[in-house]
């Protein structure tokens, strides 16, 4: 043995000199930070190849989907069985997960041998043996009569098609059971269990040990989204965005990807970094040319790599006075555990261990030989740790980029003998990871109980997700409408239209079917200059519309209406509007001009002629006194007269829906329906005069303003109204009014979504059951969020930023997916209900005209229709389904409320000039 005195006399300078000599000899095994960064970039490219559908078949790094969709969230509970098969023994575990108070896991397990004749026999013998051991375990636990969920850790190369379906690619680790390769191991286990017939299990998941490590640590740390194994072999898995997994359908949420990174370099990507020692290791292995990265890192090869270096140095007279022994020359004689002992961080123990182990190989080492051997071990294990850090850096960058995070906070769950037992490996790995990705805050968490618990946790998560999904779908099903239900909505809307048109039932009808006194759409011959006013909110527009030979040229200015004017007197409001008109005419150089004027007045009105509108009630925050029950045209005329600066020819007062119809009708003569789906919703269409009881005359057609938002006020929608609709209705400014509108329009959809999210959270189905205070605020979930969330193609980034705005800073990727699903269900229902109502309208028009097939255009406006990514498509599909005899084209209105008012005025002027027999009162006669 090396005497302590000899060690003391062997000064530090000599030790350093000897280490420097080894460093020089092995300089190719010492990788600079720059080289490691390059390795990280190369691995990222290999990851992309494995993820891409077109290149995965030739990729060295396979990036296999595991079908594990979520990590534990702490709410899992129940009893789960786990099997862990990966060597000559296997374990059966009963894992009890408790979620009351602080999450806790209790485990009972038993190890069973796998005899050689079973490992090398038939597949049915192997799985019968596993089933027999499982039966024995259940018998001892007194649980044979229970059917428990089971997770299976099967640590052999497999191709997974589902979480519970895994096809063995090839046996390793001494297994040769026939008839298993190419087969689904879950099916084989199920067959053996069924054959016994004395117990049953629900096999829910099959995983490998890397996923097991991530899931085990993920239970203790919810930030854990990477699993790492550095033991006999090496591998890593991580949570990837579904949109990047081109091999699978779907682009929402995430899935754990098993990188199988041991094969990195099999295609030559690491050839410039591999040394002669690496090539010698590979040539002498059971699988030459395969798993080249693993052969530079893992415990199976680390000791052998050191042995080959020692042999080469001895042959070159650099060690052991040039002598070798039969033991040193024997493959596998230098175990990786020797490296752990020699690199001991306890004073001189490492050098003492070096001497002892070298003597065990028949050598007579000097102190210099022991120091050199220790340095060889350090260089080999440091390279392994640093290469592992380089590839981990690639995974961390991928996750950070997926989240578009400036700084990533994450945890890596780690298992494996090298990581756990090598005295310096973990420290070197951690230090280099932090140097390579300084913008990632990384915690390393050791998996203490192996892959068995991991399999149970995967099963527990799958069990939780399945149960939660069932409960969520039951809730969402109340918001889903069948084809039959939509047909019923169409039928009831048709009935209400008839009631609204009839003099006898008009007063009781929810759909008022108000005559708009517009009896013609544009024909393209309109000509002249027209003024248009557009009042419908806190701003007000004045437009000059020039109509010439099929072209429309517009100039406009927007004026604000102060809050005190909105809520003052009517005289103040209309005087303010007239001042804005005077300002506009001055601006346009038309002071004193007298032009025909159309007035878009988007508040509920009763009309008895085109140029009259009796305000029924103010909405949208207006409270100006002395206006309700008055003709708004008269109020405007009075204000013009008081101003005394100009005169106007009042021709028409319309709402925005009729304006949309006219605006689109100018560009498409087939346009006979106007639709608004924005903050509110409404429809107008050209009805046969003979069907409008409230207006004299039977010839021709007249535009009818349906005011369909009130559909349902007589109970027509009660059986479709959900608890969420009732909550929104009761908290609205006008309970039990505008019920159809409250199920469709932009003013209310966000509130419906908010109520569903609160329900999910209260049941523990979302946000881990923690409700943010801000989400309790009415109106906080704006309808524009639906459009943003459903448009999202950026790995749920938009969803996450919205949830953070709502105070849900700890929401997960799973939460984002669920929020998106809720938005989709609510907006789809709105589009379908709108489509059902529109089907009633166009089918009525077809029947009115006794047509087998109707071809018509719908002019449409409104932010929900225009900006929501799917609303228009779903509406149109529903319409086609419910009114198959109508061919409907949709034409987006670019400025229905302004341009439309001017065009109604233009049509009125055209018809007035052309008519021989003009009906009085400003009505557009046919």
């Amino acid at each position: 043995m090396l005497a302590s005195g000899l060690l003391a006399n062997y000064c530090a300078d000599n030790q350093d000199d000897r280490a420097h000599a080894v460093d020089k000899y092995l300089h190719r095994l010492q990788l600079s930070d720059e080289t490691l960064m390059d390795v990280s970039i190369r691995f990222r490219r290999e990851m992309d190849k494995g993820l891409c559908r077109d290149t995965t078949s030739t990729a060295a790094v396979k990036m296999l989907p595991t079908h594990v969709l979520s990590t534990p969230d702490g709410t899992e509970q129940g009893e789960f069985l786990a099997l862990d098969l990966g060597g000559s023994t296997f374990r059966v575990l009963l894992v009890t997960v408790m979620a009351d108070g602080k999450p806790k896991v209790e485990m009972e397990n038993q190890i069973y041998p796998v005899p050689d004749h079973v490992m090398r026999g038939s597949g049915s013998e192997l799985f019968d043996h596993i089933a027999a051991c499982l039966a024995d375990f259940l018998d001892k636990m007194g649980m044979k009569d229970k059917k428990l969920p089971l997770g299976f850790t099967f640590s052999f190369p497999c191709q997974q098609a589902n979480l519970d379906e895994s096809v063995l690619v090839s046996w390793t680790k001494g297994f040769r059971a026939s008839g298993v390769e190419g087969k689904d191991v879950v099916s084989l286990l199920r067959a053996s269990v069924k054959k016994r017939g004395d117990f049953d299990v629900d096999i829910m998941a099959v995983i490998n040990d890397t996923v097991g490590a991530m899931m085990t640590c993920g239970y203790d740390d919810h930030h854990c989204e990477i699993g790492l194994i550095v033991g006999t072999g090496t591998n890593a898995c991580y949570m990837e965005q579904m949109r990047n997994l081109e091999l699978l359908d779907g682009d929402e949420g995430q899935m754990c990807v098993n990188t199988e990174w041991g094969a990195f370099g099999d295609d030559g990507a690491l050839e410039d970094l591999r040394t002669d020692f690496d090539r010698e290791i590979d040539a002498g292995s059971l699988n030459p040319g395969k798993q080249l990265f693993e052969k530079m890192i893992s415990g199976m090869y680390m000791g052998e790599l050191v042995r080959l270096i020692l042999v080469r140095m001895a042959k070159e007279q650099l060690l052991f006075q040039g002598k070798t022994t039969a033991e040193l020359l024997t493959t596998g004689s230098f175990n990786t555990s020797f490296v752990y002992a020699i690199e001991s961080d306890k004073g001189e123990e490492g050098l003492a261990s070096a001497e002892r182990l070298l003597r065990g190989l028949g050598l007579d080492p000097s102190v210099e030989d022991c120091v050199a051997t220790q340095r060889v071990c350090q260089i080999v294990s440091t390279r392994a740790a640093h290469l592992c850090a380089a590839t981990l850096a690639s995974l961390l960058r991928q996750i950070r980029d997926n989240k578009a995070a400036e700084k990533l906070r994450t945890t890596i769950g780690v298992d494996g003998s090298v990581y756990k037992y090598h005295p310096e490996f973990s420290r070197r790995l951690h230090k280099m990871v932090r140097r390579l990705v300084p913008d990632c805050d990384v915690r390393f968490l050791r998996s203490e109980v192996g892959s068995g618990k991991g399999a149970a946790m995967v099963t527990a998560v799958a069990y939780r997700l399945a149960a939660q999904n069932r409960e969520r779908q039951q809730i969402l099903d109340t918001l889903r409408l069948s084809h039959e239900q939509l047909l019923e909505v169409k039928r009831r809307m048709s009935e209400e239209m008839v009631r609204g048109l009839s003099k006898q039932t008009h007063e009781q009808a929810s759909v008022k079917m108000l005559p708009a006194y517009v009896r013609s759409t544009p024909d393209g011959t309109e000509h002249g200059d027209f003024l248009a006013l557009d009042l419908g909110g806190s701003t007000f527009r004045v437009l000059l519309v020039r109509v010439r030979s099929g072209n429309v040229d517009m100039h406009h200015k927007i004026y604000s209406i102060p809050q005190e004017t909105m809520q003052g007197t009517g005289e103040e409001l209309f005087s303010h509007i007239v001042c804005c008109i005077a300002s506009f005419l001055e601006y346009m150089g038309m002071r004193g001009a007298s032009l025909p004027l159309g007035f878009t007045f988007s508040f509920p009105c009763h009309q008895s002629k085109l140029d009259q509108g009796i305000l029924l009630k103010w909405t949208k925050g207006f409270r100006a006194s002395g206006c309700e029950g008055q003709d708004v045209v008269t109020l405007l005329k009075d204000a013009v007269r008081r101003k005394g600066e100009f005169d106007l020819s009042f021709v028409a007062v319309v709402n925005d829906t009729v304006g949309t119809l006219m605006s689109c009708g100018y560009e498409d003569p087939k346009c006979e329906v106007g639709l608004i789906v924005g903050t509110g919703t409404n429809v107008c269409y050209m009805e046969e005069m003979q069907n409008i009881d409230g207006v004299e005359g039977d010839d021709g057609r007249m535009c009818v303003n349906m005011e369909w938002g009130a559909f349902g006020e007589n109970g027509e929608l009660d059986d479709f109204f959900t608890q969420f609709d009732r909550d929104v209705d009761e908290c609205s400014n006008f309970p039990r009014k505008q019920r159809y509108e409250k199920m469709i329009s932009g003013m209310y959809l966000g509130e419906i979504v908010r109520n569903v999210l609160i329900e999910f959270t209260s049941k523990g189905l979302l946000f881990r059951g923690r409700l943010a205070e801000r989400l309790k605020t009415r109106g906080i979930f704006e309808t524009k969020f639906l459009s943003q969330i459903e448009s999202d193609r950026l790995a749920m980034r938009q969803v996450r930023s919205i949830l953070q705005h709502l105070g849900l800073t700890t929401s997960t990727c799973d939460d984002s997916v669920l929020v998106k699903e809720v938005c989709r269900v609510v907006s789809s229902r709105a589009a379908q209900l709108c489509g059902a109502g529109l089907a009633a309208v166009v089918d009525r028009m077809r029947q009115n005209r006794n047509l087998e097939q109707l071809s018509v255009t719908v002019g449409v406006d409104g932010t929900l229709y225009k900006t929501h990514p799917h609303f228009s498509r779903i509406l149109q599909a529903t319409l086609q389904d419910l009114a198959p005899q109508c061919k409907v084209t949709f034409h987006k209105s670019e400025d229905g409320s302004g341009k439309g008012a001017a065009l109604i005025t233009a049509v009125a002027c055209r018809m007035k000039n052309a008519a021989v027999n003009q009906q009085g009162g400003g009505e557009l006669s046919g």
Side-chain angles (χ1 to χ4, degrees):
M1 294 293 288
L2 285 172
S4 59
L6 185 60
L7 274 174
N9 292 332
Y10 188 74
C11 71
D13 286 346
N14 291 339
Q15 196 165 337
D16 287 346
D17 289 345
R18 198 75 187 103
H20 288 321
V22 176
D23 286 353
K24 191 172 178 182
Y25 185 77
L26 296 178
H27 71 277
R28 291 206 59 226
L29 276 82
Q30 297 173 81
L31 306 176
S32 66
D33 287 8
E34 187 182 6
T35 300
L36 291 169
M37 192 64 81
D38 182 53
V39 170
S40 185
I41 291 166
R42 294 186 207 183
F43 185 67
R44 188 88 181 265
R45 282 200 293 264
E46 293 300 311
M47 288 169 64
D48 290 341
K49 283 186 194 172
L51 290 169
C52 178
R53 182 184 286 108
D54 297 334
T55 52
T56 187
S57 59
T58 57
V61 180
K62 289 300 183 188
M63 307 294 285
L64 303 172
T66 65
H67 299 271
V68 172
L69 301 175
S70 180
T71 51
D73 72 356
T75 65
E76 292 78 14
Q77 54 188 331
E79 292 180 314
F80 305 93
L81 289 168
L83 297 180
D84 186 1
L85 177 66
S88 57
T89 62
F90 80 97
R91 283 199 305 162
V92 184
L93 303 94
L94 173 66
V95 181
T96 305
V97 185
M98 288 157 282
D100 295 333
K102 190 178 178 184
K104 192 170 75 169
V105 174
E106 292 178 354
M107 293 192 294
E108 301 274 354
N109 75 91
Q110 187 162 339
I111 295 173
Y112 293 90
V114 183
D116 278 359
H117 71 275
V118 173
M119 290 170 69
R120 294 175 172 80
S122 68
S124 59
E125 282 180 90
L126 172 63
F127 285 97
D128 286 352
H129 175 69
I130 293 170
C133 296
L134 184 53
D136 177 71
F137 179 79
L138 289 171
D139 205 23
K140 286 176 180 172
M141 300 300 297
M143 304 183 77
K144 254 189 170 178
D145 57 336
K146 280 189 176 182
K147 184 179 181 179
L148 293 178
L150 180 143
F152 189 7
T153 302
F154 188 74
S155 299
F156 300 91
C158 286
Q159 190 78 43
Q160 275 194 262
N162 283 301
L163 184 59
D164 62 349
E165 184 181 339
S166 193
V167 175
L168 176 66
V169 175
S170 59
W171 281 119
T172 55
K173 308 176 188 179
F175 278 74
R176 292 287 182 275
S178 61
V180 182
E181 292 180 349
K183 299 283 178 62
D184 171 27
V185 296
V186 175
S187 297
L188 294 173
L189 179 56
R190 280 179 179 145
S192 290
V193 169
K194 188 176 181 181
K195 187 164 44 174
R196 286 185 62 85
D198 57 342
F199 72 94
D200 199 6
V201 289
D202 184 7
I203 306 172
M204 294 189 71
V206 58
I207 61 166
N208 69 9
D209 51 358
T210 319
V211 179
M214 182 186 78
M215 296 300 278
T216 299
C217 296
Y219 185 73
D220 300 316
D221 183 338
H222 298 152
H223 289 289
C224 187
E225 47 195 338
I226 297 177
L228 170 66
I229 299 285
V230 195
T232 309
T234 184
N235 193 16
C237 66
Y238 73 105
M239 296 306 291
E240 177 59 272
Q241 298 294 328
M242 281 291 291
R243 68 189 173 95
N244 294 330
L245 284 165
E246 293 188 8
L247 289 174
L248 300 178
D249 294 330
D251 62 355
E252 293 172 9
Q254 53 184 357
M255 180 181 285
C256 179
V257 166
N258 167 23
T259 66
E260 288 294 343
W261 76 8
F264 178 35
D266 287 6
D267 57 356
L270 295 174
E271 211 49 42
D272 56 324
L273 300 179
R274 294 176 70 229
T275 64
D276 291 342
F277 305 114
D278 295 310
R279 293 186 179 91
E280 194 174 344
I281 280 254
D282 180 46
S285 69
L286 294 172
N287 54 345
K290 303 290 183 189
Q291 299 295 102
L292 298 183
F293 185 64
E294 183 169 82
K295 287 168 185 171
M296 298 168 83
I297 289 179
S298 75
M300 182 174 278
Y301 304 99
M302 191 180 284
E304 182 63 7
L305 196 52
V306 170
R307 186 190 72 80
L308 291 175
I309 293 168
L310 297 181
V311 168
R312 178 82 62 88
M313 290 180 74
K315 286 181 177 178
E316 294 182 18
Q317 306 293 315
L318 297 173
L319 277 180
F320 315 131
Q321 299 173 324
K323 294 174 184 172
T324 60
T325 63
E327 291 94 330
L328 181 64
L329 294 172
T330 302
T331 299
S333 61
F334 200 97
N335 194 285
T336 294
S337 63
F338 294 2
V339 178
Y340 308 161
I342 290 169
E343 287 198 64
S344 170
D345 55 359
K346 294 179 183 174
E348 296 161 2
E349 278 187 21
L351 290 176
S353 295
E355 187 211 15
R356 176 175 52 79
L357 294 167
L358 291 171
R359 287 190 185 282
L361 293 172
L363 296 162
D364 184 19
S366 65
V367 177
E368 290 91 340
D369 291 333
C370 292
V371 169
T373 299
Q374 187 180 56
R375 186 59 186 153
V376 169
C377 290
Q378 287 169 348
I379 289 170
V380 168
S381 64
T382 298
R383 183 184 72 155
H386 287 177
L387 283 171
C388 195
T391 44
L392 267 182
S394 304
L395 299 186
L396 290 164
R397 282 197 194 91
Q398 179 83 351
I399 293 171
R400 186 198 62 199
D401 291 352
N402 283 344
K403 293 182 177 179
E406 284 186 25
K407 189 169 180 73
L408 176 69
R409 160 74 178 93
T410 195
T411 299
I412 300 171
V414 199
D415 205 350
S417 53
V418 174
Y419 184 89
K420 285 184 172 179
Y421 305 128
H422 189 290
E424 294 293 323
F425 187 93
S426 61
R427 185 185 61 80
R428 292 171 191 156
L429 173 68
H430 301 172
K431 188 175 177 182
M432 184 51 70
V433 164
R434 287 169 185 135
R435 269 176 31 200
L436 294 176
V437 276
D439 48 3
C440 294
D441 177 12
V442 185
R443 179 189 179 205
F444 289 81
L445 186 62
R446 275 172 51 162
S447 171
E448 299 297 346
V449 288
S451 47
K453 178 184 171 185
M457 291 318 305
V458 170
T459 306
V461 169
Y463 200 71
R464 165 178 64 81
L465 290 177
Q468 288 179 336
N469 189 55
R470 279 193 301 273
E471 193 171 355
R472 276 191 296 266
Q473 294 312 316
Q474 283 174 358
I475 294 168
L476 290 177
D477 280 347
T478 65
L479 289 154
R480 294 186 173 108
L481 298 173
S482 66
H483 174 76
E484 290 70 26
Q485 286 174 310
L486 290 167
L487 275 174
E488 182 61 18
V489 171
K490 175 191 171 185
R491 187 189 68 76
R492 294 180 193 180
M493 177 68 84
S494 300
E495 283 183 357
E496 278 305 296
M497 289 171 72
V498 172
R499 282 162 53 80
L501 287 168
S502 168
K503 192 179 286 184
Q504 284 75 31
T505 52
H506 174 81
E507 285 302 318
Q508 295 80 42
S510 61
V511 181
K512 290 302 182 188
M513 306 295 285
L514 304 173
Y517 294 88
V518 172
R519 292 188 54 184
S520 178
T521 51
D523 67 2
T525 66
E526 291 77 16
H527 186 91
D529 293 351
F530 307 92
L531 270 182
L533 310 181
D534 180 11
L535 178 65
S538 59
T539 60
F540 162 70
R541 284 194 308 157
V542 186
L543 305 93
L544 173 66
V545 183
R546 291 191 162 119
V547 184
R548 304 278 189 279
S549 307
N551 290 318
V552 176
D553 183 34
M554 293 193 298
H555 303 272
H556 77 272
K557 280 195 82 171
I558 298 173
Y559 299 90
S560 64
I561 302 176
Q563 190 75 16
E564 59 270 21
T565 305
M566 290 169 66
Q567 299 185 358
T569 66
E571 193 169 296
E572 288 170 340
L573 174 63
F574 283 93
S575 292
H576 176 74
I577 291 170
V578 168
C579 284
C580 295
I581 298 169
S583 167
F584 179 77
L585 291 172
E586 183 86 42
Y587 169 75
M588 294 300 298
M590 299 175 67
R591 187 175 182 182
S594 179
L595 296 174
L597 179 139
F599 188 10
T600 300
F601 188 75
S602 298
F603 299 90
C605 284
H606 173 72
Q607 284 188 265
S608 58
K609 51 187 179 178
L610 183 61
D611 63 351
Q612 181 193 70
I614 308 296
L615 176 64
L616 299 177
K617 63 181 177 184
W618 281 120
T619 57
K620 308 177 190 178
F622 279 74
R623 293 284 185 275
S625 61
C627 298
E628 291 180 355
Q630 300 297 310
D631 172 22
V632 295
V633 175
T634 301
L635 294 173
L636 192 55
K637 280 179 180 176
D638 290 345
V640 171
R641 195 160 36 249
R642 285 195 302 272
K643 183 77 171 167
E645 289 184 9
F646 55 88
D647 197 14
L648 295 173
S649 172
F650 293 90
V651 175
V653 60
V654 298
N655 72 5
D656 50 359
T657 318
V658 179
T660 295
L661 165 60
M662 298 301 279
S663 173
C664 296
Y666 188 74
E667 295 164 24
D668 183 346
K670 280 189 172 180
C671 185
E672 296 186 78
V673 182
L675 168 67
I676 299 281
V677 199
T679 309
T681 183
N682 194 17
V683 160
C684 66
Y685 73 102
M686 300 305 289
E687 177 60 85
E688 308 303 311
M689 280 289 293
Q690 65 193 27
N691 296 331
I692 307 172
D693 281 1
V695 179
E696 291 182 11
D698 287 345
D699 296 334
R701 296 176 184 138
M702 179 180 284
C703 182
V704 167
N705 167 24
M706 289 180 62
E707 289 294 344
W708 79 353
F711 178 49
E713 288 182 11
N714 292 335
E716 307 94 324
L717 294 172
D718 283 4
D719 46 341
F720 302 116
F721 235 51
T722 67
Q723 184 57 50
F724 309 113
D725 296 307
R726 282 188 282 276
D727 291 343
V728 169
D729 180 44
E730 285 164 15
C731 293
S732 69
N733 290 331
F734 303 101
R736 293 173 295 285
K737 301 291 183 186
Q738 300 294 102
R739 288 198 143 192
Y740 189 55
E741 182 169 87
K742 287 170 184 170
M743 298 172 83
I744 291 177
S745 76
M747 183 173 278
Y748 303 100
L749 294 190
E751 264 302 279
I752 297 172
V753 168
R754 187 182 70 87
N755 278 284
V756 176
L757 299 185
I758 288 172
E759 176 75 359
F760 276 8
T761 309
S762 69
K763 291 181 178 294
L765 304 174
L766 190 64
F767 307 136
R768 294 179 182 158
R770 294 194 287 269
L771 184 62
E773 282 301 314
R774 280 174 65 81
L775 196 58
K776 296 176 185 176
T777 308
R778 276 185 56 212
I780 194 74
F781 200 100
E782 299 171 49
T783 295
K784 69 177 182 183
F785 292 161
L786 274 75
S787 297
Q788 293 169 355
I789 287 169
E790 292 188 64
S791 299
D792 181 47
R793 285 292 175 272
L794 297 173
M796 298 288 152
R797 292 174 191 174
Q798 191 74 52
V799 185
R800 255 201 318 274
S801 67
I802 290 166
L803 296 180
Q804 285 169 356
H805 164 73
L806 295 173
L808 296 156
T809 52
T810 59
S811 63
T812 64
C813 181
D814 293 339
D815 291 331
S816 295
V817 173
L818 295 172
V819 170
K820 186 169 182 176
E821 184 180 11
V822 173
C823 291
R824 188 187 297 124
V825 169
V826 170
S827 64
S828 294
R829 183 187 70 154
Q832 288 176 320
L833 282 169
C834 192
L838 203 53
V841 174
V842 295
D843 242 358
R844 177 176 177 80
M845 292 171 71
R846 181 184 63 80
Q847 290 161 5
N848 280 345
R849 299 171 194 189
N850 296 313
L851 295 173
E852 194 64 37
Q853 199 80 25
L854 172 71
S855 182
V856 70
T857 296
V858 175
V860 59
D861 205 350
T863 50
L864 189 58
Y865 184 92
K866 285 183 171 179
T867 62
H868 190 282
H870 309 299
F871 192 95
S872 59
R873 176 181 53 79
I874 296 167
L875 185 157
Q876 290 170 29
T878 305
L879 178 60
Q880 188 175 8
D881 183 38
L882 301 182
Q885 290 170 272
C886 300
K887 183 186 177 187
V888 182
T889 305
F890 285 79
H891 189 107
K892 284 186 191 174
S893 167
E894 295 313 317
D895 186 5
S897 53
K899 181 174 156 188
L903 284 168
I904 290 171
T905 307
V907 171
C909 291
R910 163 177 64 81
M911 296 182 73
K912 185 176 181 181
N913 294 336
V916 178
N917 301 314
Q918 175 63 36
Q919 181 177 330
E923 180 185 321
L924 274 70
S925 55

